[in-house]
């Protein structure tokens, strides 16, 4: 009921409580408490000995419904399900308020006039242009919301009095130091790993096996060596593009078109850059050093996530398109390949890599003539599409075939064999005379049609029309072994290479798990071991594969694991467990304490909400409620 005024006030202490009530009351619902109906036939509901009158419910429901339908195209066409949901939530809130009012009365809580006045005077929505409380503004707002001044004061007094109780309950949630310390350690503990990597590319290429081996591999993976279904279809396409091909365009029109769109044919110098915005200079400097030591952009994106920085790319951007003047100056004074920074930016400290430079370009009229002519002809043809499509429709309705479409209509004909992705048997896109969007729809229609279906004109996207006829359907088939033997060999070698690399990694893992130091195991295999940077629980690590950190936090010191990487396999041991020091991270410790305080306070409030709801023994007069909903729907 006070939703409008809570927004005016900014942040209300009771708002958190009302949010918490949502989950608590969901299990309750209106229909689940329709018991003891008839206890008070003039009340919509009763709770804690108090009644919720039809007037109270209608006021709350109407106001909530207005807010819920504010963004609908037509509020008068509110879905019944939405009305029922709004009614349920409005009634639940009123039940809570009545239950809480009973507790407030039992505790003899009250809000003094001075405290009520101070709260209202401080509400931003009631201040005039001088920044001070303005009674005329207050009365205007109340009038707009159909409230009398006395009713508003009563509502505000009830709200503030209730808040005394809810604030007290919420403030009981104080976490002990032991719990805060455990949470702090859990979230900030970091771990490092000793890692040895086996890359598939470094494993020797297996020798060519006997044909029987390759044939068995081909037989076990025939899905990789099957040709798709192909269909041969004929089609007619009608669009502004097909009609425009036959329309005349004068040289004067082309000259005028070039002059009007000159900015499309004259491009300033453009540059492609990779930019990382860090929260401070220290983080930016650390990332810059990593970048200059040869890290790839993929590595830098990962490092940026870990460092709470943002990584973005700008492709072929001109100077005016760069959001920061300082960054633009650095980019356009750098050479291709330069990595520069830190640079002061509007949202932090920036570093950048200049990937490439495109010099300014100018397309002369002679080169642009064909493109301009096509654009002008399509503009002229736009008004001809509908009447010509009607003529084409009449032809097909009269029994005409695709071969009988007259050339004067401006339609384009095509025929060919394609698969469901629109590619021919040699892998090239089928030459369909249509825009990409319309062509995709035509391909889909070809693979939905049946051979011999009657020809029909269909309107597609981009104001295009088409008609199709499927002549032949070639079902999918497995390609003969001899025809794909070269591919089978390459696939078998790649699969065998990966399998042998995995077996080698598993063997090294067993040696480490058997008690051999990972350094000795790596040395005997001619491999090296790298110590990772510290990884936090639940975070991506800069120099670890994605799957390693979660496993790392389940190991004991010295224990080993094996994970798959993008290009091979990794054997790793837990090298260090670094416990955080609360004294060196006081701000983080305080933040965790504040979060736990809120969580515990919210839990207390939720429990309290459930208790007063059940203790108040709420009942609902379903017949009266439905009647009121029907009246408001008229």
């Amino acid at each position: 009921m006070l939703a409008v005024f809570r927004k005016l006030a900014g942040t209300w202490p009771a708002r958190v409580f009302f949010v918490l009530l949502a989950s608590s009351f969901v299990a309750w619902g209106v229909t689940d408490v329709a018991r003891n109906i008839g206890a008070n036939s003039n009340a919509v509901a009763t709770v804690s000995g108090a009644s919720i009158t039809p007037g109270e419910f209608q006021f709350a429901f109407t106001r909530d419904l207005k807010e819920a339908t504010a963004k609908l195209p037509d509020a008068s066409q509110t879905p019944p399900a939405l009305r029922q949901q709004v009614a349920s939530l409005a009634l639940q809130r009123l039940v809570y308020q009545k239950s809480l009012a009973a507790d407030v009365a039992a505790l003899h809580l009250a809000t003094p006039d001075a405290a009520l006045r101070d709260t209202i005077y401080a509400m931003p929505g009631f201040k005039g242009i001088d920044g001070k409380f303005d009674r005329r503004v207050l009365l205007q707002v109340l009038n707009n919301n159909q409230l009398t001044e006395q009713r508003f004061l009563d509502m505000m007094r009830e709200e503030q009095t209730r808040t005394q109780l809810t604030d007290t309950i919420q403030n009981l949630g104080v976490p002990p130091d032991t719990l805060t310390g455990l949470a702090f350690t859990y979230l900030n503990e970091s771990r490092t790993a000793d890692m040895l990597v086996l890359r598939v590319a470094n494993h020797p290429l297996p020798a060519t096996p006997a044909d029987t081996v390759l044939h068995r591999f081909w037989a076990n993976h025939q899905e990789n060596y099957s040709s798709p279904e192909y269909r041969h279809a004929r089609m007619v396409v009608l669009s502004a593009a097909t009609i425009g091909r036959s329309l005349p365009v004068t040289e004067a029109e082309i000259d005028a078109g070039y002059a009007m769109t000159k900015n499309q044919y004259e491009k300033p110098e453009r540059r492609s850059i990779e930019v990382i915005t860090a929260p401070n200079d220290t983080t930016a400097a650390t990332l810059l050093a990593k970048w200059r030591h040869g890290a790839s952009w993929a590595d830098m994106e990962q490092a940026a996530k870990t460092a709470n920085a943002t990584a973005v790319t700008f492709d072929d951007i001109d100077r005016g398109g760069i959001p920061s003047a300082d960054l633009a100056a650095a980019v356009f004074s750098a050479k291709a390949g330069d990595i520069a920074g830190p640079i002061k930016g509007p949202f932090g400290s920036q570093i950048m890599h200049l990937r490439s430079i495109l010099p300014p370009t100018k397309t002369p009229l002679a080169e642009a003539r064909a493109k301009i002519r096509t654009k002008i002809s399509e503009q002229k043809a736009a008004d001809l599409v509908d009447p010509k499509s009607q003529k084409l429709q009449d032809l097909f309705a009269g029994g005409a075939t695709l071969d009988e479409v007259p050339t004067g209509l401006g339609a384009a004909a095509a025929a060919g064999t394609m698969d469901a992705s629109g590619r021919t048997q040699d892998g090239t896109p089928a030459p369909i005379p249509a825009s990409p969007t319309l062509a995709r729809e035509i391909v889909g229609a070809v693979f939905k049609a049946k051979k011999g279906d009657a020809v029909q004109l269909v309107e597609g996207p981009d104001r295009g029309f088409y008609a199709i006829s499927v002549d032949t359907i070639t079902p999918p088939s497995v390609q003969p072994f001899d025809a794909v033997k070269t591919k089978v060999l390459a696939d078998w070698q790649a699969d065998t290479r990966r399998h042998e690399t995995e077996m080698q990694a598993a063997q090294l893992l067993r040696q480490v798990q058997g008690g051999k130091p990972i350094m000795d195991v790596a040395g005997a295999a001619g491999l090296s071991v790298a110590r990772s940077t510290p990884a936090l629980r639940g975070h991506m690590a800069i120099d670890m594969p994605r799957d390693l950190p979660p496993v790392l936090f389940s190991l004991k010191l010295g224990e080993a694991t094996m994970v798959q990487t993008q290009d091979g396999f990794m054997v790793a041991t837990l090298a260090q467990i670094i416990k955080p020091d609360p004294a060196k991270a006081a701000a983080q410790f305080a933040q965790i304490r504040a979060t736990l305080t809120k969580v515990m306070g919210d839990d207390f409030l939720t429990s309290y909400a459930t208790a007063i709801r059940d203790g108040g023994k709420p009942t609902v007069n379903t017949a009266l409620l439905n009647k009121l909903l029907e009246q408001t729907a008229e």
Side-chain angles (χ1 to χ4, degrees):
M1 186 179 295
L2 291 176
V4 174
F5 303 106
R6 291 193 191 95
K7 291 179 180 178
L8 292 173
T11 301
W12 282 68
R15 180 185 296 173
V16 173
F17 187 45
F18 284 114
V19 172
L20 288 170
L21 284 176
S23 59
S24 175
F25 280 117
V26 162
W28 175 51
V30 171
T31 58
D32 292 336
V33 295
R35 58 182 184 268
N36 300 326
I37 296 175
N40 186 346
S41 60
N42 295 320
V44 179
T46 59
V47 61
S48 299
S51 298
I52 297 173
T53 67
E56 288 177 307
F57 170 76
Q58 285 184 308
F59 182 86
F61 172 66
T62 302
R63 189 168 303 282
D64 289 357
L65 186 64
K66 181 179 179 181
E67 184 174 346
T69 59
K71 294 183 179 180
L72 293 179
D74 184 359
S76 65
Q77 301 298 319
T78 305
L82 177 59
R83 292 176 57 83
Q84 186 67 32
Q85 181 183 26
V86 172
S88 176
L89 292 174
L91 185 56
Q92 289 168 16
R93 189 172 65 253
L94 291 172
V95 166
Y96 155 70
Q97 290 173 348
K98 294 291 185 180
S99 301
L100 186 56
D103 272 19
V104 167
L107 294 170
H108 304 291
L109 300 178
T111 297
D113 291 342
L116 180 62
R117 182 182 62 249
D118 291 344
T119 298
I120 296 174
Y121 278 19
M123 295 173 71
F126 298 147
K127 292 182 179 180
I129 57 176
D130 59 355
K132 298 180 180 179
F133 173 78
D134 190 326
R135 180 177 172 78
R136 292 171 298 179
V137 175
L138 168 65
L139 295 177
Q140 181 63 46
V141 172
L142 296 183
N143 182 63
N144 292 342
N145 288 276
Q146 302 176 356
L147 280 174
T148 65
E149 185 175 5
Q150 186 58 51
R151 176 60 180 146
F152 172 66
L153 291 175
D154 291 343
M155 292 167 62
M156 288 295 298
R157 189 185 300 277
E158 293 172 5
E159 178 87 4
Q160 282 206 285
T161 306
R162 290 194 297 263
T163 300
Q164 295 179 48
L165 179 55
T166 57
D167 280 357
T168 300
I169 294 171
Q170 189 174 32
N171 289 335
L172 294 174
V174 179
D177 290 342
T178 301
L179 176 61
T180 305
L182 289 172
F184 173 80
T185 299
Y186 180 86
L187 294 173
N188 292 281
E189 176 189 299
S190 60
R191 299 190 172 196
T192 65
D194 284 336
M195 308 175 296
L196 67 86
V197 176
L198 293 88
R199 291 182 173 82
V200 173
N202 294 338
H203 195 84
L205 190 67
T208 302
D211 278 2
T212 54
V213 175
L214 295 180
H215 198 280
R216 185 164 54 249
F217 187 86
W218 165 81
N220 291 335
H221 301 84
Q222 290 195 348
E223 68 278 4
N224 298 330
Y225 309 108
S226 297
S227 60
E229 176 183 318
Y230 283 102
R231 294 192 172 200
H232 184 277
R234 293 178 297 130
M235 66 192 70
V236 167
V237 179
L238 181 72
S239 65
T242 64
I243 296 172
R245 295 172 185 174
S246 60
L247 298 181
V249 177
T250 67
E251 292 299 316
E253 290 174 321
I254 293 176
D255 291 342
Y258 182 75
M260 291 177 61
T261 58
K262 200 170 184 179
N263 63 323
Q264 298 179 19
Y265 302 102
E266 294 184 2
K267 301 291 185 182
E269 180 181 312
R270 288 157 290 156
R271 301 192 168 200
S272 295
I273 56 175
E274 297 162 341
V275 182
I276 294 177
T277 303
N280 52 62
D281 289 344
T282 302
T283 303
T286 301
L287 293 171
L288 180 64
K290 180 179 180 66
W291 212 348
R292 284 178 170 167
H293 277 82
S296 67
W297 176 241
D299 293 335
M300 293 307 300
E301 286 182 305
Q302 194 63 54
K305 287 182 182 179
T306 304
N308 197 28
T310 303
V312 296
T313 60
F314 295 93
D315 295 322
D316 299 338
I317 191 170
D318 60 29
R319 190 183 190 105
I322 298 177
S324 164
D326 290 336
L327 178 60
V331 169
F332 277 82
S333 63
K335 298 177 182 178
D338 282 357
I339 297 174
I343 304 159
K344 183 179 180 182
F347 304 107
S349 186
Q350 297 178 314
I351 56 177
M352 73 86 186
H353 169 225
L354 178 55
R355 196 170 66 239
S356 62
I357 299 175
L358 281 178
T361 60
K362 180 178 180 179
T363 304
L365 175 58
E367 295 181 18
R369 187 177 301 279
K371 183 177 180 180
I372 295 172
R373 186 206 175 285
T374 298
K375 186 174 182 179
I376 294 174
S377 67
E378 289 183 7
Q379 290 173 344
K380 288 183 175 183
D383 293 336
L384 302 176
V385 174
D386 289 338
K388 286 182 178 290
S389 68
Q390 187 59 54
K391 291 181 180 180
L392 191 56
Q393 176 65 53
D394 293 342
L395 281 171
F396 292 141
T401 65
L402 293 177
D403 296 331
E404 295 173 327
V405 175
T407 57
L409 280 178
T417 300
M418 70 185 79
D419 63 17
S421 65
R423 293 188 172 273
T424 63
Q425 289 169 307
D426 61 4
T428 59
I432 299 174
S435 68
T437 305
L438 179 57
R440 282 193 295 271
E441 180 168 316
I442 292 174
V443 172
V446 167
F447 276 80
K448 290 178 182 177
K450 297 179 180 178
K451 183 179 177 180
D453 279 352
V455 176
Q456 293 183 335
L457 188 67
V458 179
E459 183 175 2
D462 301 334
R463 290 197 66 205
F465 293 81
Y466 64 91
I468 62 167
S469 176
V470 176
D471 299 329
T472 59
I473 299 176
T474 304
S477 61
V478 178
Q479 295 172 290
F481 172 75
D482 290 338
V484 293
K485 181 177 178 180
T486 300
K487 185 177 187 305
V488 172
L489 173 60
D491 292 348
W492 177 87
Q493 287 179 322
D495 184 74
T496 302
R497 203 179 195 186
R498 171 166 289 276
H499 177 70
E500 290 178 352
T501 304
E502 183 177 7
M503 292 300 97
Q504 182 186 5
Q507 182 182 14
L508 297 179
L509 174 64
R510 285 193 294 270
Q511 293 179 30
V512 176
Q513 290 176 332
K516 289 186 179 181
I518 191 171
M519 297 293 292
D520 294 346
V521 171
L527 301 170
S528 60
V529 173
R531 174 69 59 88
S532 73
T533 56
L536 288 170
R537 192 188 308 270
H539 290 263
M540 296 295 296
I542 295 175
D543 51 0
M544 292 184 190
R546 181 185 300 271
D547 295 334
L548 181 56
V551 179
L552 211 58
F553 280 87
S554 67
L555 301 178
K556 297 178 182 179
L557 276 175
E559 287 187 337
T561 188
M562 172 180 152
V563 296
Q564 186 171 345
T565 67
Q566 289 184 341
D567 56 1
F569 298 89
M570 173 184 288
V571 176
T573 59
L574 177 57
Q576 290 177 306
I577 298 177
I578 306 170
K579 298 291 185 180
D581 184 357
K584 296 180 180 179
Q588 283 183 295
F589 193 86
Q591 183 179 10
I592 291 173
R593 184 189 296 277
T595 300
L596 289 174
T597 299
K598 184 180 183 306
V599 169
M600 293 180 66
D602 290 348
D603 285 345
F604 286 163
L605 282 175
T606 302
S607 299
Y608 172 69
T610 302
I612 62 172
R613 180 199 66 200
D614 295 343
K617 301 185 184 312
T619 62
V620 175
N621 188 333
T622 307
L624 179 56
L625 175 63
N626 291 335
K627 182 178 179 181
L628 293 174
L629 289 177
E630 290 174 2
Q631 291 175 352
T632 57
E634 295 176 354

